Amino acid sequence: MTGRPDPVPGGAAAADRAFDLRLAGLAVAVWLTALSCLHRTAPTAVLLAFGAAVLAALFAAHLLAVVGTPAAPVRRYGWIAVAVLLGVVCGGTATAARLHVRDAAPVRALVDDRARVTADLVLRDDPRPVRGAPGRPATLLVTAESTALTGPDGHRLRVPVRLLVLATDPVWRGLLPGQRLTAQGRLASSRGGDLTAAVLTVTGPPVRRGSPPWLQRAAGTLRAGLHRACAPLPPEQGGLLPGLVVGDTSRLPATVEEDFRATGMTHLNAVSGANVAIVVGAVLLLARWVRAGPRLAAVLCGLALIGFVVLVRPSPSVVRAATMGAIGLAALAVGRPRATLPALAAAVAVLLLLDPELAGDAGFALSVLATGGLLLLAPGWRDGLRRRGVPAGLAEAVAVPAAAQLACGPVVAGISGTVSLVAVPANLLVVPAIAPATVLGVAAAVVSPVWPSGAEFAAWLASWPVWWLVTVARVGARLPAGTLPWPGGVPGALLLAGVTLGLLLAVRRPPVRRLVAVGAVAVVLGVLPVRLVVGGWPPDGWVVVACAVGQGDALVLPVAADRAVVVDAGPEPSAVDGCLRRLGVREVSLLVVSHFHADHVGGVAGVARGRRVAMVLAPAMVEPVAGREMVTAAAGTARRVVPAAGWSYRSGGVDLVVLGPPYLLRGTRSDPNNNSLVLRATVAGVRIVLSGDAETEEQRALLEQVPPEALRAEVLKVAHHGSAYQDPAFLDAVRPAVALVPVGADNDYGHPSAVILDRLTRSGTRVLRTDTDGDVAVVRRAGGRLAVVGRGLPPGHR
């Protein structure tokens, strides 16, 4: 019976669940102290540590003085308080030492002067591209440690500070962690809240100083081999497999990334303790299968752990994941979480003392919480399921991801401002596919240098479980009511943590457990059908919807029950895809691209996601070229038309005519804007002018070339997000009853212009903005009257 859970209360299982939390208080204190001090200065952190040290000494002296008295509980809780205070001392001292280096006066003087410096750097992680506007060079984020800074006066400072490098030269892409180099750039202040001393903006290539360490070169070779093995696979599987195995999402399609985010599966795209547990667990099972002894099995698992760290690169995040994964694996292997909780607490404390910046890292929090859920919740849930007749393997498969998801829920809710209803089911469905995909992907990487065809075969085998992951994410992302709005930030995280803790404590009592179960069933049977069937969106009789996609345009005109004309696609795929899903659009009869700027075409992949696009309408001016290429890639086999003024289109309930540009405009303030397609659509008798980003020059050209009655409309999509570059005569010619302003909250462009909004309001126009009203619909009521409906923004999205 050894190692089996004891169903008898008070037996072995009950003893195992008497968790050893002696180090938990110290670890949590180190964590919270480091997180708080990262937003303070070194002297403040020192004062905090000194005050905690004094209190700890006083508490310890008092406890030692009462030895031999019967107040055992007092002593026990007193020593817990001492441990917490010692955690504050350690966390404050370690963070203060790092803050002293970060805020060194010579470096701060260079930052304040925005000086141009020459920096000797050591890269800490891989360069990561960030999404930018089409036509502009991609910006790379490079975390580095500076060993020396040379100012404009030639004075050389040898201060080991962390820098965030912003680079645009493509040479930076091929650099490996551990690479030593020299770069020239300009310093600027960092955002704060971490150990980054400054931001270094670099425009040129770096000068390499030697080669990266052999471990990093070996990792680079294996990762490149994995990419070559994945090249023959379909883009979704070929892009996801490297992310699943080594956390490399550089080739992951944006559509897959958005689906994983919507279904709470993004943790699969990053190196975590789960990856480590799978790889080392596979080696442990193999060792047991060949009847290896405990010592040999331990050696093999240790070698596998080291090899995996080499493969995914020994960056701080990987070392963290390896530590958490090793603890989680030990918990599952021995089946006694009591012995592993002190190890988890000790690992958290040591990692934070070595690198206090981890205290503010969301990945660190998710990794620790997931491991804690595995140790604290999963064993009890697994045993409970087994006592109710669930097979052992299924009980484990259900308990582990459910516990991890519940533990991570507050952090995810605080970051996203939503609570996913599909996250737990989706993660349960993909459990059988994760381990084979990971093991086969690692095998493909390992054999790629010596057996390329074998690596391709292993990657092909891995593509089948990866296909299942992609399918579950795609279906889950398309389920209506898959997420619920929730307060964002720290208040939202604390609120969900309190609700979760309260439910966990309450359900320990059978009457409360039954009450919670009945309540959950009532919510599912009562609330969800309402959200699914009569959610109130879209409103009956809608003729146009302006989607809330941030700082960009995306408008929808209804053709039939599940078909629509879409005008522009916003800056990124997920927002426009979500808007179309809420409207029930399954087919796009016509996709109109007013012009090729990123805020209008960045989301075209979201329009085409799971939908047939029959025709694409695009302007004659193809600048910027990168935007046109993005549209071409997303359009697939759709028919493409470059219309002249007067071109017309009719489908279902939509009549559309192109008003402009009347001719090609050159030498304007912005030629792409002033060659936007300007359309007049008629839906259910309501005329709508869609003006793209047309500015003053194109608006005046329209006034000269287009008859005044052709511009008259009941609804106007205000050009260029309501910017100040509007011709008053053009607004007077349209004379709209309703004006729609697609605009992003707190944008850096000053949109919309208060002068333009005031002019429209004074003329009797009802103005609606997507940054304050969310998705906005114009509705035709009985008798031809117009009404407007705003869907509103979810909490945390302003």
Side-chain angles (χ1 to χ4, degrees):
M1 300 296 291
T2 304
R4 296 289 188 183
D6 185 353
V8 180
D16 283 348
R17 285 192 288 272
F19 300 112
D20 187 344
L21 301 176
R22 285 175 295 179
L23 291 178
L26 184 143
V28 172
V30 172
W31 194 343
L32 295 180
T33 303
L35 180 61
S36 174
C37 291
L38 286 173
H39 297 271
R40 303 291 184 267
T41 61
T44 303
V46 170
L47 286 175
L48 179 63
F50 178 76
V54 172
L55 288 177
L58 293 176
F59 266 95
H62 174 71
L63 293 172
L64 291 173
V66 297
V67 171
T69 66
V74 174
R75 293 199 303 275
R76 182 168 66 250
Y77 291 121
W79 285 116
I80 291 175
V82 172
V84 169
L85 290 171
L86 289 177
V88 175
V89 173
C90 296
T93 303
T95 310
R98 299 299 186 93
L99 293 176
H100 177 73
V101 176
R102 183 196 70 178
D103 299 332
V107 177
R108 184 55 48 194
L110 292 174
V111 172
D112 292 341
D113 293 340
R114 297 182 60 85
R116 187 168 183 83
V117 300
T118 300
D120 295 339
L121 304 174
V122 180
L123 299 195
R124 303 183 68 242
D125 211 337
D126 294 287
R128 294 181 290 111
V130 293
R131 187 177 301 164
R136 299 180 183 178
T139 299
L140 297 170
L141 299 182
V142 188
T143 56
E145 192 92 21
S146 172
T147 57
L149 292 173
T150 303
D153 58 354
H155 181 64
R156 187 176 179 85
L157 297 175
R158 295 190 177 276
V159 182
V161 294
R162 294 183 184 179
L163 300 179
L164 177 63
V165 181
L166 303 182
T168 55
D169 195 285
V171 174
W172 288 86
R173 283 184 178 270
L175 299 179
L176 300 175
Q179 173 73 59
R180 292 183 175 273
L181 51 86
T182 301
Q184 293 184 342
R186 190 173 298 278
L187 292 175
S189 298
S190 64
R191 64 178 182 179
D194 54 25
L195 295 179
T196 303
V199 176
L200 180 67
T201 302
V202 178
T203 56
V207 178
R208 305 190 191 200
R209 306 294 184 189
S211 300
W214 72 269
L215 278 177
Q216 301 289 4
R217 295 200 304 272
T221 300
L222 295 177
R223 291 161 72 100
L226 177 60
H227 276 296
R228 287 193 299 270
C230 293
L233 301 179
E236 292 180 332
Q237 290 94 307
L240 179 58
L241 185 57
L244 185 68
V245 175
V246 296
D248 185 353
T249 58
S250 58
R251 301 184 186 181
L252 183 66
T255 54
V256 178
E257 186 175 3
E258 297 297 339
D259 288 345
F260 270 55
R261 182 177 296 114
T263 51
M265 293 166 56
T266 51
H267 60 280
L268 299 178
N269 295 334
V271 178
S272 66
N275 300 72
V276 179
I278 288 170
V279 173
V280 180
V283 174
L284 180 61
L285 289 176
L286 182 62
R288 288 179 176 176
W289 183 66
V290 299
R291 300 183 182 279
R295 293 184 180 179
L296 178 58
V299 171
L300 292 175
C301 290
L303 292 175
L305 181 61
I306 295 172
F308 185 73
V309 171
V310 171
L311 172 63
V312 298
R313 300 215 174 123
S315 62
S317 60
V318 174
V319 173
R320 176 205 74 213
T323 304
M324 297 302 149
I327 294 170
L329 181 64
L332 291 179
V334 303
R336 297 180 66 85
R338 173 182 169 84
T340 53
L341 276 172
L344 173 62
V348 169
V350 171
L351 289 172
L352 288 169
L353 292 177
L354 293 176
D355 187 3
E357 190 173 81
L358 289 174
D361 183 70
F364 178 77
L366 292 174
S367 184
V368 174
L369 290 173
T371 307
L374 178 69
L375 302 180
L376 291 169
L377 303 177
W381 293 359
R382 176 199 61 200
D383 296 347
L385 290 172
R386 291 181 62 182
R387 286 195 297 270
R388 288 164 176 80
V390 178
L394 181 58
E396 195 85 58
V398 171
V400 169
Q405 189 68 37
L406 188 71
C408 295
V411 174
V412 174
I415 294 172
S416 65
T418 60
V419 175
S420 176
L421 300 181
V422 301
V424 172
N427 280 277
L428 290 175
L429 287 173
V430 301
V431 164
I434 296 172
T438 302
V439 173
L440 289 169
V442 171
V446 171
V447 304
S448 62
V450 295
W451 191 15
S453 58
E456 290 188 9
F457 179 69
W460 177 79
L461 290 176
S463 70
W464 292 101
V466 170
W467 170 85
W468 175 245
L469 298 176
V470 173
T471 301
V472 171
R474 181 187 296 119
V475 173
R478 279 153 182 73
L479 289 176
T483 59
L484 294 177
W486 192 265
V490 175
L494 293 177
L495 176 60
L496 185 57
V499 171
T500 302
L501 182 60
L503 287 176
L504 288 175
L505 294 176
V507 297
R508 296 172 66 90
R509 299 178 177 274
V512 177
R513 184 163 57 242
R514 287 192 289 270
L515 180 63
V516 170
V518 171
V521 171
V523 169
V524 172
L525 297 180
V527 176
L528 288 186
V530 173
R531 288 177 61 88
L532 296 177
V533 179
V534 288
W537 191 264
D540 292 336
W542 67 283
V543 296
V544 62
V545 165
C547 298
V549 293
Q551 182 66 10
D553 273 18
L555 295 105
V556 187
L557 308 171
V559 170
D562 59 354
R563 291 188 293 131
V565 171
V566 178
V567 182
D568 289 325
E572 54 92 21
S574 63
V576 66
D577 178 42
C579 181
L580 294 178
R581 282 193 284 110
R582 291 190 291 271
L583 295 172
V585 176
R586 296 192 179 101
E587 181 177 338
V588 178
S589 303
L590 176 67
L591 170 61
V592 180
V593 177
S594 65
H595 63 299
F596 291 110
H597 277 159
D599 56 338
H600 292 250
V601 302
V604 288
V607 174
R609 183 184 299 170
R611 303 177 186 89
R612 176 179 173 267
V613 179
M615 183 187 300
V616 176
L617 201 67
M621 175 165 283
V622 298
E623 300 172 4
V625 175
R628 181 196 62 179
E629 293 174 347
M630 190 180 299
V631 173
T632 301
T637 60
R639 179 189 171 199
R640 299 168 202 175
V641 176
V642 178
W647 184 89
S648 62
Y649 171 88
R650 174 178 292 181
S651 180
V654 176
D655 287 330
L656 187 146
V657 62
V658 176
L659 301 179
Y663 49 82
L664 196 64
L665 285 86
R666 291 286 188 183
T668 67
R669 199 192 73 87
S670 171
D671 287 350
N673 285 352
N674 281 303
N675 286 279
S676 293
L677 291 180
V678 177
L679 315 173
R680 187 193 69 230
T682 304
V683 182
V686 179
R687 304 215 303 181
I688 306 159
V689 169
L690 304 164
S691 51
D693 273 4
E695 297 184 351
T696 308
E697 294 90 336
E698 184 176 1
Q699 292 177 13
R700 289 173 180 168
L702 287 168
L703 290 171
E704 295 170 359
Q705 301 292 325
V706 178
E709 61 273 12
L711 292 175
R712 181 76 179 89
E714 288 81 18
V715 180
L716 170 67
K717 197 290 296 185
V718 182
H720 201 186
H721 322 296
S723 79
Y725 298 102
Q726 315 278 341
D727 190 328
F730 178 80
L731 299 178
D732 293 340
V734 179
R735 282 187 298 161
V738 177
L740 304 177
V741 186
V743 64
D746 302 322
N747 64 85
D748 298 329
Y749 307 98
H751 298 163
S753 165
V755 174
I756 297 301
L757 296 185
D758 182 64
R759 182 181 183 88
L760 288 167
T761 303
R762 282 190 288 107
S763 66
T765 302
R766 175 73 183 276
V767 179
L768 291 101
R769 302 164 45 171
T770 60
D771 62 335
T772 56
D773 301 305
D775 296 346
V776 176
V778 178
V779 178
R780 187 179 186 271
R781 300 296 191 194
R785 295 180 298 106
L786 292 184
V788 293
V789 180
R791 184 172 177 270
L793 293 170
H797 283 67
R798 277 294 305 274

